[in-house]
């Protein structure tokens, strides 16, 4: 059995990510969800928050652990003695990025292989970015992320949502009859 590393931002973890992990763990054995900590990339959740959310959501899945890493993914794999990087592929739009990453990692470390796993049809449209967009505007994300992530998104956006609803309220208040000057 291999030790596979599934790297990404996971800002935040979605059901699409969990689906990939559930599918590859029985085949590959040990899977590390590797949260990239990139100080120059803006993220909603801090690396530690993302780690805590992922650990909570993945608790109970055997052979799965979560780590945070700053720097090259291949350096983490070398340190951990792992040889497989797993990435997910949704639409064609993911393809070019994944191809470049896989080739760059191969150049940096020829012994490490990247394995691409296709997204399940029910999750192919799910991304951390769209989930954040929906949550920011008060939409429901319960079918897109685990419950603890849905709760964390609600908390993060609570102030924004209060302001949004206050702005929307006057627009949705029905006009009383007879008060109109028109
Ligand atoms: P990154 O910023 O590295 O793209 P993400 O957290 O967005 O990190 O994604 C990590 C990996 O998971 C990527 O390979 C991405 O293509 C894949 N992925 C994201 N969403 C899904 C999904 N819904 N189904 C399958 N794979 C996904």
């Amino acid at each position: 059995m291999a030790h596979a590393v599934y790297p990404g931002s996971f800002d935040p973890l979605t059901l699409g990510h969990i689906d990939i992990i559930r599918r590859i763990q029985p085949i590959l054995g040990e899977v590390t969800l590797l949260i990239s900590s990139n100080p120059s990339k803006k993220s909603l959740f801090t690396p530690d928050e993302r780690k805590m959310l992922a650990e909570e959501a993945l608790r109970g899945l055997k052979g799965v652990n979560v780590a945070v890493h700053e720097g090259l993914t291949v350096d983490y794999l070398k340190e951990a003695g792992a040889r497989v990087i797993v990435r997910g592929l949704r639409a064609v739009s993911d393809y070019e990025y994944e191809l470049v990453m896989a080739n760059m990692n191969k150049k940096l470390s020829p012994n490490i292989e990247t394995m691409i796993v296709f997204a399940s049809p029910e999750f192919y449209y799910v991304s951390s970015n769209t989930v954040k967009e929906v949550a920011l505007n008060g939409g429901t994300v319960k079918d897109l992320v685990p419950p603890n992530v849905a709760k964390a998104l609600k908390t993060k956006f609570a102030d924004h949502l209060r302001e949004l609803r206050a702005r929307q309220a006057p627009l949705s208040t029905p006009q009383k009859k007879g008060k109109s000057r028109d």
Side-chain angles (χ1 to χ4, degrees), residues 89-122:
L89 196 79
R90 286 159 296 181
V92 179
S93 50
D94 284 343
Y95 179 79
E96 212 160 317
Y97 179 72
E98 296 300 339
L99 183 69
V100 170
M101 286 300 295
N103 281 296
M104 181 54 81
N105 285 329
K106 192 85 194 155
K107 178 85 187 149
L108 292 169
S109 194
N111 290 331
I112 290 173
E113 290 298 338
T114 297
M115 291 178 61
I116 298 291
V117 181
F118 286 100
S120 294
E122 63 269 40

Side-chain angles (χ1 to χ4, degrees), residues 6-10 16-17 20 41 87-90 94 97-98 119 123 126 128:
Y6 180 28
S9 311
F10 305 106
H17 296 132
I20 295 282
K41 200 169 161 185
R87 294 284 290 177
L89 196 79
R90 286 159 296 181
D94 284 343
Y97 179 72
E98 296 300 339
F123 297 122
V126 179
S128 300

